[in-house]
Each structure stands twice: as structure tokens, then as C-alpha cells.
Amino acid sequence: MSLKQLNAAGFEEAVYNNGEACLVIFSRKECHVCKEVVPVLEQLQPNYEKKFGFYYVDVEKDKSLFQRFSLKGVPQILYFNGGQYQGKQAGKVEEEQIEDKISDTLK
Amino acid sequence: MANSYDLIIIGGGPAGLSAAIYGGRAKLKTLVIDKGGIGGLVNTTREIVNYPGYAQISGPDLMNEFKKHADTFGVEFLKGEVVRADFSQAEKKIVLKKGQEFFGKAVILACGSEPRLLNIPGEKRLRGMGVAYCATCDAEFFEGDEVVVVGSGDQAIEEGMFIAKFARKVTVIVLHEEGILDCNKVSGERALNHEKMAFIWNSTIEEVLGEENVEAVKIKNLKTGLTSELSCQGVFFFVGMVPSTGYLKDSGLEMDKRGYIPANDLMKSNLEGVYAVGDNRVKYLRQVVSAAGDGATAAVAAERYIEELNDFNRNVMQSEKRVLLLFFNAQDNESLNYCSALEKSTKEDGLDCKIVSVDMATKKNLAEKYAVKSIPSVLVLDKGMESHRFEGLEVLTCTQWKSILTN
Ligand SMILES: Cc1cc2nc3c(=O)[nH]c(=O)nc-3n(C[C@H](O)[C@H](O)[C@H](O)COP(=O)(O)OP(=O)(O)OC[C@H]3O[C@@H](n4cnc5c(N)ncnc54)[C@H](O)[C@@H]3O)c2cc1C
């Protein structure tokens, strides 16, 4: 997998300390829909190099993170900029929707 | 051509992977296309206890074994969603969402099924915000919550009990009279006696309510017509599955009202060289073991079909000489006599042509393709193009053939 995986500490660092403009997908190994959405992100990632971060959180490993955002399902893509939460997308989302949301987040 | 294959399999669940194993082993150049992870629906199954040879195994582990097995036979895998198929030519065209095109001599459809949506207000909007379809994926997010389960089949009741490991309370909405569930007896009894499970009978849900997240559902009692609200943080829908065959709508493929593909005992669809296997075909039992069996059957049928196709191309379509394509029945004496008479009449004078005989009993495909209705029939083909057709037992004389073939 080409998305960088974050644990709770890494999440804190990237999203809040560095205030990176980025997205974080909350996913799990055995989820069917996640397996469709993760490759879409992997393909998009190179187009945004140095402009927008792409991260991955495994909800099985880092429970505290999904509890903190009171998520109710995977996959779920959360968007951040300057340490601010910018919204999320749940379930099966299409490439175009993700691109739109990234440009919204970068505004 | 790099994007040209003997066999293209759409879907990498147990049906598709089994077909891939047989296809690869038969040395067919085989490609499996799947939009998600290899393993299909089985990946979301926590535990499988009815696949022969494995007393107990997790779904993903079993599918890993299938995948590894297919790898040993040199099968290629590609991640991508098929959005269109054109089966009208001998080389069947498969188009992916990103526009890539692939060509296959034979295609096996193994797309499985997906959860049916009720299409009620709030269901789509709150998907992932409390609306869920997969307990393995999402049950854990409802730790200490109140959850509603819609449906009463095996999946609803068994997944409901799994959700109850996390949730504080699970309320099952059942269409039927009190005490009647659609699931198997054992699970039904366990669920009815489960301390965290509650049941609302004669009812369905009409709407999922909530701003950001699910806050409640609107329940309608079908007997009294009254509606009520039940507060909850999650709703799991288990109201059956629909085949993932929507993208084949305009392909000429025959499907039933619900989108399942009828296939014969060779797994052949109504189209030549197109097969349907596993959960997306009309069938009695939708399980891993039967999906695997379907896959094996279709791959063998496809192999034979491809072999015939290759033979035919070599002997007929690319033949330098003109071809007399003879349709006969090997079990019928008159028909056999006709064969030898034809051979004789064309050989006598060393006519410049080749006889290719086709036994109607085993090669129905070709008879269909050339719309041959009666036997014996002789078609005169030049590079595959029909110039004359003779039906019936009368054998032309050598002179007659000569005048036809020199024209
Ligand atoms: C909760 C649950 C529990 C189950 N438990 C058991 C059990 O214990 N034992 C058992 O034997 N069976 C069980 N089953 C049934 C079993 O999972 C299915 O019968 C089996 O998965 C069918 O296999 P399949 O290959 O036909 O389809 P699937 O496994 O559904 O695979 C189809 C594949 O096709 C892909 N696909 C679909 N459309 C496209 C497209 N347009 N382009 C590219 N790829 C596409 C999908 O991504 C998917 O990977 C269970 C099912 C469920 C839902």
C-alpha cells in the first residue's frame, strides 16, 4: 500500500502540529467497500505530491482515533487543513468527489 | 496484443477465482478483473464452517488460498471496474471505468451481488453515518449504542447477534407476525432468547432520521398502519441482495427481472462464449462451494469453446482454398452417406476446395451462427463468406460443383 499509515501520535503530528492540508482514510482490512476506495486514493496521490497529504488509519489498530471523531463506519475520508477539520465522505465515493473535496479543502 | 486474452473473468470472488484456476491450468491466457479486493463477498465473512476440507476458516484466509492457487497457474489480475461490455463480435470487448479496453475470446461473468437498498428517505444520505450493510465492517463502531436491524433472514439474524456483542441493544424490525423469522431455526431461537435482542413485528421502516448522524428510524406497523419513531444510533439493512449485473444492461445478455443471468448446465448464457457463474446467475444455492463448482464448469466449457473457435479460424476463416462447410449428424446414417458421397463427388475431379464437416449434435454454436436449420446442409465459404448454400440429401455432381466453384 502506498498511503502512509498513521497511528495516534503520527496523526497528531501530521494533522495538528504540522497543520498539513491532507486527507485521512479510516479503513479496515476486511471491509469490502474500503478495498474499492483505497486504490482510488492511491492513484490520486501522485497528482498532489507536496500539495496535499494522503494518510491511512487502520481502525482495528487505532480505536481511539475513530472514537474521537465518533465515526459510524468505514471507509470514511476525513479532510483537514491548518489543523481544522474540513468535513468527511463516507462509504463508496468516486474519484471526482474526492478531487472536488480536495480542492474545497485547499481553498 | 497486450490487452487481448483467451479468457477474461469479471469478478474475483470464489466463483471467479475457481474459474481462473481451471483457466490458468488449461494454459489459457487468463485475466481476472475486480473492482475491489480479490475474494469478493467472502472477505466480509468472519467464519466459514461449510467449505469442504476446512472445518473452520475465516473468509479472507480462505480467499487468500484461492488467490495463491490461481497465482501458481500464471493468471493475471487487474484492479478496475468494468462499466460496459460488447459481446457482439467474436472478440468480446470489456471496457473499464478509466476507459481501458480488453478483448477476450470467452468471458466469464462472476460479479456476485450487493446489498439491496430499500431506497427510503435518509438511507443514502446517512450511509456511513449510522446506516450500514456489513456487520463485519461496521459493528464495532456501535459500542454501547442502540442499533436497529431491518430484515429477518439468516444474514439479518446472525449479523444482528454479532452486532449485539458491541451494541447495548439490537432491535430487529420484522415484516411477519410475532414469532416468525425467515432465518434458520437454530439462529432464530438463539436470537429470540438473546438478552440484548428485541423484536418489532408486522413492521417495516419508512425513513432514517438524523442531521449529521442517525438519530432515529420511523417504523410503520403494517397491520395498524400506525407509524412511530424509535431512537437509535445505527441501522443495519439486511433486506436481501441484488446481482451486480447493472452494467450489462445493454449488452444483449439475457437476465431475469431482478438482474440474475440464466445459464445452462455448462454455465453458458444466451450469448456465445459468455458464461455466468456464482451468485450472479439464476441458481438454487448461493454459497462458496457452489460458486467454486460453477467456476470450474464454466472454465472447462470456455476452454472447449475457445479450442473450437481456434480450429475453425484456422481451418475455415483463414483457409486459402474454398471451404464446403457440411453440417451433418454423426448418428444418422443418411447423413453419413451424404458425407461420403460429397467427398467422392468433389475428389473425383480434384476440385480445389476443402470439406469441413460439422456434427450438429456437438457443435450447436456453429449451426446457430450460420442459421442452419436442416441436415445435411452444405455452405460454400470463401474466407468465411458464404457464397452458396445447399440443403437436403441431393448430392451435386462433380460438374455442378465445378461450375459453382469456378464462378
Ligand atoms: C454475511 C454473509 C455470510 C456468508 N456466509 C457464508 C458461509 O458461511 N459459507 C458459504 O459458503 N457462503 C457464505 N456466504 C455466501 C458467499 O459469500 C457467496 O455465495 C459467494 O461469495 C459468491 O461468490 P461469487 O464469486 O459469486 O461472488 P462475490 O463473492 O460476490 O464476488 C464478486 C466479485 O465481483 C466484483 N465485481 C462486481 N461487479 C464488478 C464490476 N463491474 N467490475 C469489476 N469487478 C466487479 C466484486 O468486487 C466482487 O469481488 C455468505 C454471504 C454473506 C453476505
Side-chain angles (χ1 to χ4, degrees), chain B residues 301-312:
Chain B
E303 182 200 349
R304 305 236 162 106
Y305 164 78
I306 290 167
E307 202 177 279
E308 266 179 36
L309 196 73
N310 289 347
D311 274 356
F312 192 78

Side-chain angles (χ1 to χ4, degrees), chain B residues 343-352 397-399 401-402:
Chain B
E343 295 235 351
K344 208 162 131 222
S345 117
T346 52
K347 259 204 193 111
E348 260 167 18
D349 207 32
L351 284 178
D352 191 24
T397 64
C398 177
T399 335
W401 278 123
K402 211 171 205 170

Side-chain angles (χ1 to χ4, degrees), chain A residues 3-18:
Chain A
L3 302 180
K4 182 161 182 226
Q5 187 161 342
L6 295 180
N7 58 16
F11 187 86
E12 205 67 31
E13 176 75 21
V15 172
Y16 295 113
N17 295 354
N18 301 342

Side-chain angles (χ1 to χ4, degrees), chain A residues 3-40:
Chain A
L3 302 180
K4 182 161 182 226
Q5 187 161 342
L6 295 180
N7 58 16
F11 187 86
E12 205 67 31
E13 176 75 21
V15 172
Y16 295 113
N17 295 354
N18 301 342
E20 236 183 275
C22 63
L23 64 79
V24 183
I25 182 163
F26 285 69
S27 177
R28 83 157 76 228
K29 209 168 68 236
E30 288 176 12
C31 143
H32 201 59
V33 181
C34 303
K35 287 190 180 164
E36 286 180 48
V37 178
V38 170
V40 177

Side-chain angles (χ1 to χ4, degrees), chain A residues 28 43 63 72 74 94, chain B residues 97-98 137-138 140 145:
Chain A
R28 83 157 76 228
Q43 273 179 4
K63 280 205 179 128
K72 291 292 184 199
V74 280
E94 305 293 332
Chain B
K97 197 165 165 191
K98 297 238 145 156
C137 312
D138 295 338
E140 198 188 342
D145 286 345

Side-chain angles (χ1 to χ4, degrees), chain B residues 84-104:
Chain B
R84 207 151 35 81
D86 179 354
F87 299 134
S88 62
Q89 308 293 317
E91 294 276 311
K92 293 155 185 61
K93 183 162 89 177
I94 302 299
V95 185
L96 302 195
K97 197 165 165 191
K98 297 238 145 156
Q100 300 131 283
E101 294 181 350
F102 294 89
F103 295 87

